[in-house]
Amino acid sequence: MKIGELVGAGRTADVFALDDGRVLRRYRGGDDTTGEVAVMAYLAEHGFPVPAVWPGTAAGELVMQRLTGMTMAEALVNGAITAEQAGEMLAGLLRRLHAIPARLSADPGHRVLHLDFHPENVMLTPQGTVVIDWATAAEGPPGLDSAMAALILAQVTLTMPAVSVAARAVLSSLLRHLDGVEEEHLAEARMRRAANPTLSPDEVGKLDKAVALITKKAGS
């Protein structure tokens, strides 16, 4: 396996091209990828759009299908899709995900949750939309995933001025197309975001305002 150029980098991992049309995702902290690989394989078996995935050869690695296209965030910036379309697409993908039974939990109300669902983690490929980055996946009530998606967008509107207007419009569209965001799930999402070590102090400090923004938009 010949590792090529760096093709992407996030808060916790780097992505390198491989010479066989795949990519290597390498977590800087050496995180165990066993669960991530299992979740993605399970979702693929149920027809949910995720990249094909294989275990890596070292700790903290996994190998994935290399996707062509752009992220939803890039498509918003260049005008390929509108904010209204983006929100509707995000809501539709969440509904598809939450229609799949949980992989491990015996609770009939639990589903697989992404918990980092936002436009940077949705790829628009020639074959359709594909959801990436399942490192934070867990199982629980679907409403928590929806609340987390809304909270991430709300934080972006408050902490990233360059894309604030677009993020606010996507948030409005997402909330219109969701079945609602319950207060208890929003509170849980806020707690989880506050405990996320990759967030900056500014992002954590804006959480209460982000929650208030969602509550206001959901009620309007």
Side-chain angles (χ1 to χ4, degrees), residues 20 48 117 133 143 145-146 151 184 194 220:
D20 57 359
F48 190 78
F117 198 78
D133 197 352
D145 219 7
S146 298
L151 185 58
E184 65 176 304
S220 61

Side-chain angles (χ1 to χ4, degrees), residues 34-59:
T34 304
E36 188 173 357
V37 171
V39 167
M40 292 173 69
Y42 174 78
L43 293 174
E45 289 173 1
H46 284 76
F48 190 78
V50 296
V53 63
W54 302 266
T57 58

